[in-house]
Amino acid sequence: QVQLVESGGGLMQAGGSLRLSCAASGRTFSSYAMGWFRQAPGKEREFVSAISGGGGSTYYADSVKGRFTISRDNAKNTVYLQMNSLKPEDTAVYYCAAGYGVTMFRSEYWGQGTQVTVSS
């Protein structure tokens, strides 16, 4: 069992930056790929980014490529999402997930989400 707790969301103006964190419980954190997803009001949850267990492989949705960076610190059982050049369309609840795969990420555990709101 893996428990995930996101933090770092908030309100930001367009063009600004935020860093989301996701802290995981359990001793097997490094055995999981980690992903970030988001869900905007009235829309389905969509993939944002994923990173392999060792951190050597990453993958991004086209909508965030070049603006967002995923990273992880296995010593701290934490995965991060650095979000730069934020746009109003990035407004959503952001969820982290533990699972398998990077380019074809399959989630097994989910966090509760953190709200990101970007004003124009």
Side-chain angles (χ1 to χ4, degrees):
Q1 187 79 5
V2 176
Q3 293 185 326
L4 304 171
V5 179
E6 302 97 333
S7 61
L11 175 64
M12 179 57 64
Q13 287 189 331
S17 298
L18 281 173
R19 188 175 81 156
L20 305 183
S21 299
C22 174
S25 66
R27 297 173 291 177
T28 58
F29 178 70
S30 61
S31 68
Y32 289 96
M34 297 297 295
W36 286 96
F37 291 74
R38 66 186 182 186
Q39 187 167 19
K43 295 187 177 181
E44 293 187 355
R45 189 173 298 189
E46 65 174 0
F47 171 82
V48 174
S49 182
I51 187 168
S52 59
S57 180
T58 59
Y59 188 67
Y60 297 92
D62 287 344
S63 58
V64 305
K65 200 174 296 182
R67 299 188 298 121
F68 290 10
T69 302
I70 191 170
S71 62
R72 66 190 296 162
D73 185 338
N74 286 343
K76 296 182 178 180
N77 280 16
T78 301
V79 62
Y80 304 97
L81 186 68
Q82 178 67 43
M83 306 186 295
N84 298 329
S85 302
L86 284 163
K87 304 176 181 180
E89 51 263 44
D90 293 320
T91 295
V93 177
Y94 283 72
Y95 299 89
C96 74
Y100 303 95
V102 177
T103 57
M104 294 291 289
F105 183 84
R106 303 178 306 281
S107 60
E108 186 164 333
Y109 301 101
W110 291 94
Q112 84 290 348
T114 185
Q115 176 71 47
V116 171
T117 302
V118 184
S119 62
S120 57

